Amino acid sequence: SSVRTMSISTISASVKSSSSVLKKEERNPIFSIFGADLNSFDRLLQDYKSKTCSIEVISPCEAYIEKMDTEKIGLCALALGGGRLTKDSVIDPFASVEVLKKTGDKVHKSEVIAILRATDQSLLKNAKNIYLSALSFSSSKVNKGKVIYKTIA
């Protein structure tokens, strides 16, 4: 179970496109430290590639991303099956939101700004609309703000 959880997290964090993840020679030493079963990981990766469908979220304009409503982005993940609507809801471990552009980034019209993945293709269109509704655009350059506010010793 912990291997499965680590594997899903690693896949979600490292997938840049539907076909690229950490190379075997890069991940094996890392995963071995945690006692991961690499054969299970490889099977899980094959499941991930075969079971997921994706949709690209395209920028509707040439602008800067002024704001990102993270609550709505969370609802987007929920709409993909990545969370529970009720206590009986089943979580799709393959659902993911890959954010490619963040607050302050300049985006070009028709540029891919996010990739949404789920096992149920019928969920993608609604999730895409939710994601787009979470963004505010500005024609002026936007200050990205501080990422680290304070370091605690």
Side-chain angles (χ1 to χ4, degrees):
S1 177
S2 64
V3 171
R4 182 174 174 84
T5 303
M6 182 179 77
S7 300
I8 291 293
S9 299
T10 304
I11 290 170
S12 297
S14 65
V15 172
K16 298 296 183 210
S17 70
S18 60
S19 63
S20 71
V21 293
L22 288 172
K23 293 180 186 146
K24 217 173 201 177
E25 60 274 8
E26 293 172 337
R27 68 176 161 80
N28 286 0
I30 298 167
F31 291 176
S32 295
I33 291 170
F34 297 103
D37 177 356
L38 298 174
N39 292 326
S40 294
F41 179 83
D42 289 335
R43 283 191 301 277
L44 185 64
L45 182 58
Q46 288 307 316
D47 277 353
Y48 179 80
K49 288 180 179 179
S50 66
K51 292 181 180 177
T52 57
C53 44
S54 64
I55 191 168
E56 294 178 336
V57 181
I58 307 296
S59 173
C61 58
E62 174 112 9
Y64 292 90
I65 298 178
E66 182 176 27
K67 293 180 186 173
M68 298 179 81
D69 183 334
T70 54
E71 183 177 358
K72 280 187 182 177
I73 293 173
L75 292 173
C76 171
L78 183 67
L80 292 167
R84 288 190 171 96
L85 289 170
T86 68
K87 68 177 186 167
D88 298 323
S89 297
V90 177
I91 295 174
D92 178 357
F94 297 107
S96 65
V97 175
E98 183 179 352
V99 177
L100 302 176
K101 295 293 183 175
K102 301 175 198 127
T103 302
D105 289 348
K106 181 171 178 128
V107 295
H108 302 284
K109 185 175 171 81
S110 302
E111 180 178 6
V112 178
I113 56 176
I115 301 172
L116 311 179
R117 293 183 183 84
T119 54
D120 184 347
Q121 178 133 10
S122 68
L123 302 176
L124 294 173
K125 186 176 179 183
N126 180 48
K128 180 180 177 180
N129 291 334
I130 294 169
Y131 189 90
L132 282 170
S133 75
L135 305 179
S136 298
F137 297 94
S138 171
S139 58
S140 306
K141 190 170 183 171
V142 176
N143 182 0
K144 289 186 179 192
K146 289 184 175 183
V147 176
I148 300 173
Y149 291 96
K150 183 177 180 181
T151 304
I152 301 172

